[in-house]
Amino acid sequence: MGEERGGRADAATAPTGVAYGGGGGPVTRRRFLGMSARAGAGLVAAGCTGGGRSGADASEEGLSIPAENHRPGDRDWRIATRGAPSAIEGYTDRVSVLPGEEFGLHVSTSEPGFTVRAYRMGWYGGAQARKIWESDRIRGERQRRPRFDRPTRTVHADWERSLTVHTRGWPEGSYLLRLDTDRRSAQRYVPITVRSASASGRTVLLNASATWQAYNEWGRHSLYHGPGGEYGKRSLAVSFDRPYHGDGAGKFLVYEQPLVALAERLGIPLAYTTGVDVATRSDQLRGAKAVVVLGHDEYWTPQQRARVAGARDAGANLAVLGANTCFRRVRLEPTRSGAHRLVVCYKTDYRDDPYYERGEHSLVTTDFREHPAPDPESSLTGVLYEGYPTEAPYVVTRPDHWVFAGTGVKAGDSFKGLVGVEYDRVTPEAPTPRPLEVIAHSPVVCKGESSHSDSAYGTFKNGAGLFATGTMRWVESLAAEGPGRKGVRHGIDGRAGDFTRRVTGNVLRAFAAGPAARTHPAEDNLDKVYRDDA
């Protein structure tokens, strides 16, 4: 919803705000009930192939992820210098591929030549990446100016393919391609997921590709802003046929990579896919033990939401390790390059969405909780997104809960800066699965109004467990350094990092073992928590 790096969210400029039904500040229970009634009570030259060179000991397809992480890592995966904004940029023509499939890489550079290195992100003894493949030198070229689709204010790079990359021997996982100009004078990332052929018996990690694209400001347009930061000139649809701005990695490095490293370090059986694939492929979550939603996964299609809910209803545990999850309803539409390459979200201009006039209201692209087909995200996640921006300590209220085992916390212990910049809370007046217990209840102030951010744990009759952190900074905090050492950002220190790593490990191990309700039934405390707050 808002930008963690300090940019303004559309809530600051749009006619409606971030709360249920609009309004800019946190949602009080009285406001929620009133708005619910009004809403009706719902909620390398072109054509060249990627011969290149394999990284040391390239993996065979099907090698287990724990075995993969015993291979030596490569600490030289990080970008040393971006160079000028257009020195080198690129994008792939597919969000994901299966191991062994190929994809096109589209690159524009002002330099004479460049090289591509593919890094698989993981643990690797703390190196956190391994180089799987490296291309030969590719001749560089400056590609055409982007195309602008005026009706939806959509920017498409529409560049020629520079290289065809074959993924033979690439293990499933989250990848960053690094583009290096000659002499490495400029570098950029390009993300791609090598998705798993099967989720059966595994914990599935969802890369939030649609949300990365929603915030992507390449070409001076995103779903939030147009030129000059104007909300009224924002895109109504954004294209995957363009690079990501900045370092090129989208939101992966802040909101996803720290969890990938931790999950692979734990050695649990993992599977990888993206929200786009869950939305467009019916088999992505079949047989999963658990589904993990990462730090900021805001933009979902109704199909993705239904399939995640279906996996939960089939007994898969659900971990929501962020906030503002499943907040925006989107559609995926084709571009010139292929299917599902356009993320459509009209937001407050939903009456201009063609599906509104057709009367297909469940596909109209506004917030899930809003008119004309309100369906609040809390029925899936247990918590309701409430506000932006805030920054507050995370406060433990149920220290004896199993998710806190081994942390040594006591009631009232707090962790500076861990709640923010967006937060969720349990809102009993919204559709909320029960039993649900609030285990951390952190006071916050958002736009002058007092409220709480909640971490919650719940269980279902079919055996599934649900854990929701209630803060967007949870995954980011996993990278905080050890005791007494410098934190990541926002004052999050090594003590907080040790805490979130232990809690996340507890949750992932328990969820990987099977339906959590059988071993860890929830003890509902909502009536007590919210009676005391009244």
Side-chain angles (χ1 to χ4, degrees):
M1 185 73 171
E3 288 273 30
E4 181 71 351
R5 57 187 174 78
R8 297 175 66 193
D10 59 352
T13 52
T16 58
V18 299
Y20 183 97
V27 181
T28 63
R29 287 184 285 280
R30 180 175 296 176
R31 287 179 59 206
F32 182 92
L33 289 170
M35 287 180 266
S36 297
R38 292 195 297 273
L43 266 250
V44 254
C48 167
T49 59
R53 299 176 294 283
S54 298
D57 300 319
S59 296
E60 299 294 331
E61 286 102 0
L63 184 68
S64 73
I65 288 174
E68 166 64 24
N69 272 272
H70 278 91
R71 294 176 181 269
D74 294 278
R75 296 183 182 274
D76 182 34
W77 61 270
R78 293 176 177 82
I79 283 177
T81 178
R82 295 185 190 177
S86 60
I88 189 163
E89 301 173 292
Y91 64 92
T92 61
D93 59 13
R94 299 180 69 178
V95 168
S96 75
V97 292
L98 288 170
E101 292 184 336
E102 65 181 41
F103 61 89
L105 182 59
H106 304 247
V107 178
S108 179
T109 179
S110 57
E111 298 296 317
F114 66 94
T115 304
V116 186
R117 294 169 174 84
Y119 292 94
R120 183 186 181 280
M121 310 308 293
W123 175 240
Y124 298 106
Q128 301 186 20
R130 184 171 81 86
K131 186 175 74 174
I132 300 296
W133 172 83
E134 180 177 340
S135 76
D136 298 325
R137 181 182 183 273
I138 310 298
R139 181 178 61 83
E141 65 172 320
R142 178 71 65 83
Q143 300 241 26
R144 66 170 73 99
R145 293 174 62 85
R147 173 171 61 91
F148 187 65
D149 187 355
R150 292 191 179 280
T152 55
R153 299 186 289 272
T154 303
V155 177
H156 307 263
D158 283 350
W159 292 339
E160 297 297 322
R161 179 180 287 199
S162 305
L163 183 69
T164 298
V165 180
H166 298 282
T167 65
R168 289 185 295 270
W170 293 30
E172 61 205 47
S174 293
Y175 282 75
L176 290 177
L177 310 178
R178 197 183 71 200
L179 311 178
D180 295 347
T181 60
D182 293 343
R183 300 179 301 280
R184 299 193 186 185
S185 59
Q187 300 171 311
R188 290 292 192 285
Y189 292 124
V190 181
I192 189 165
T193 301
V194 178
R195 70 180 184 275
S196 303
S198 171
S200 183
R202 306 192 199 181
T203 293
V204 182
L205 306 187
L206 290 182
N207 292 137
S209 305
T211 297
W212 303 349
Q213 197 55 249
Y215 284 87
N216 184 12
E217 296 180 358
W218 193 90
R220 299 195 301 160
H221 284 79
S222 70
L223 288 180
Y224 289 84
H225 309 296
E230 294 183 58
Y231 177 80
K233 295 183 179 180
R234 75 196 184 284
S235 295
L236 303 177
V238 287
S239 173
F240 282 108
D241 299 329
R242 59 178 183 151
Y244 290 102
H245 73 279
D247 65 8
K251 289 186 171 291
F252 173 76
L253 284 173
V254 173
Y255 294 114
E256 304 193 13
Q257 184 269 336
L259 187 279
V260 169
L262 175 62
E264 297 214 348
R265 185 179 188 180
L266 294 174
I268 60 177
L270 296 174
Y272 285 87
T273 190
T274 73
V276 170
D277 289 293
V278 172
T280 59
R281 303 174 188 273
S282 62
D283 62 347
Q284 293 298 283
L285 304 179
R286 187 174 298 151
K289 287 285 187 73
V291 178
V292 180
V293 181
L294 303 177
H296 193 193
D297 197 349
E298 180 178 348
Y299 289 77
W300 292 39
T301 69
Q303 295 87 348
Q304 178 183 351
R305 178 170 173 170
R307 285 171 179 159
V308 172
R312 177 205 62 193
D313 294 345
N317 301 304
L318 177 60
V320 181
L321 303 184
N324 192 214
T325 297
C326 191
F327 184 69
R328 308 280 194 188
R329 181 189 288 118
V330 301
R331 285 194 310 277
L332 297 173
E333 295 184 351
T335 66
R336 292 177 182 177
S337 72
H340 317 309
R341 299 287 292 172
L342 198 68
V343 181
V344 180
C345 192
Y346 279 71
K347 296 187 179 179
T348 52
D349 292 319
Y350 65 87
R351 290 181 178 84
D352 296 329
D353 188 324
Y355 282 78
Y356 183 77
E357 190 160 328
R358 295 179 199 174
E360 298 182 55
H361 290 167
S362 65
L363 297 177
V364 171
T365 55
T366 186
D367 303 346
F368 270 104
R369 62 181 66 175
E370 296 287 0
H371 176 81
D375 184 14
E377 72 276 11
S378 54
S379 65
L380 176 70
T381 64
V383 290
L384 195 76
Y385 172 65
E386 187 169 87
Y388 160 91
T390 196
E391 180 165 308
Y394 181 95
V395 181
V396 174
T397 54
R398 292 286 301 274
D400 57 342
H401 196 273
W402 68 267
V403 305
F404 297 137
T407 64
V409 293
K410 302 182 297 295
D413 280 356
S414 64
F415 298 88
K416 181 181 179 182
L418 186 53
V419 175
V421 62
E422 299 180 306
Y423 69 96
D424 297 340
R425 58 162 276 180
V426 174
T427 304
E429 294 82 6
T432 303
R434 308 286 286 265
L436 190 70
E437 52 186 319
V438 173
I439 58 176
H441 193 53
S442 307
V444 302
V445 176
C446 183
K447 298 183 179 178
E449 294 192 46
S450 297
S451 188
H452 288 85
S453 167
D454 292 327
S455 285
Y457 174 73
T459 51
F460 298 83
K461 290 181 179 179
N462 60 24
L466 168 67
F467 174 69
T469 67
T471 172
M472 207 165 81
R473 290 182 180 162
W474 188 273
V475 170
E476 182 179 7
S477 75
L478 299 175
E481 298 178 2
R485 299 170 66 187
K486 185 177 180 181
V488 181
R489 295 190 298 173
H490 326 296
I492 301 172
D493 59 13
R495 174 174 166 267
D498 289 342
F499 169 75
T500 56
R501 284 188 291 270
R502 176 59 68 97
V503 173
T504 306
N506 290 342
V507 170
L508 293 185
R509 286 191 184 96
F511 280 15
R518 297 174 183 170
T519 52
H520 301 292
E523 299 177 7
D524 195 295
N525 66 350
L526 299 196
D527 293 341
K528 180 180 187 308
V529 170
Y530 285 99
R531 183 182 65 244
D532 291 348
D533 279 352

